[in-house]
Amino acid sequence: MTLLRVPAQLQPYIDVLGEDLGIRFLLAFGGSYIYLSERPQARSEVVYLVGLENAVALARRIGSGSMRVHSGKPFIARYFKDKGRTVNSIARELHTTDVTVRGWLKPPDDRQMKLL
């Protein structure tokens, strides 16, 4: 388990599936529509990837119906970097450039004043 901060829009997936399976789920379905059901069909792509029990748990946590899954690429890039992968291998996996990955991995700029 890493100590990465999970973005709020990805938190339900990581809570239900855990980090490793959650990342695999985001890589498979991120940026596309899926259909979640509390009574999924055996031929469901979600069931095939995460299993029946996890598919039902996702539907209960997020809600049943059709929805677009957030791509989560900046989070996935940080996860992969935390696992020791190189910027180039991350860029190839996420189908983006090394420049984009470096931008995602750059620490936040703390010079800006905090708003109250």
Side-chain angles (χ1 to χ4, degrees):
M1 178 103 176
T2 64
L3 298 175
L4 291 176
R5 186 180 135 310
V6 180
Q9 68 270 24
L10 304 178
Q11 192 70 55
Y13 304 107
I14 302 302
D15 285 348
V16 172
L17 302 174
E19 282 184 345
D20 293 334
L21 186 54
I23 295 296
R24 286 186 28 222
F25 179 88
L26 293 172
L27 287 171
F29 298 111
S32 66
Y33 277 95
I34 61 168
Y35 186 82
L36 293 178
S37 172
E38 290 188 34
R39 296 186 319 174
Q41 302 294 314
R43 66 180 183 265
S44 163
E45 291 181 9
V46 174
V47 171
Y48 180 75
L49 181 69
V50 302
L52 182 62
E53 188 176 307
N54 284 330
V56 171
L58 271 177
R60 288 186 177 145
R61 172 73 189 269
I62 298 170
S64 293
S66 185
M67 67 196 66
R68 181 178 289 125
V69 178
H70 191 284
S71 73
K73 286 184 178 184
F75 171 72
I76 296 169
R78 290 189 303 274
Y79 174 83
F80 283 155
K81 187 65 177 172
D82 196 52
K83 295 290 184 184
R85 294 197 40 193
T86 65
V87 169
N88 284 326
S89 74
I90 295 168
R92 284 191 300 271
E93 178 93 17
L94 298 181
H95 302 281
T96 190
T97 66
D98 60 307
V99 175
T100 299
V101 172
R102 283 188 189 92
W104 290 334
L105 298 176
K106 193 163 51 170
D109 186 358
D110 291 335
R111 294 179 297 167
Q112 183 167 340
M113 259 180 17
K114 303 289 184 218
L115 299 175
L116 300 177

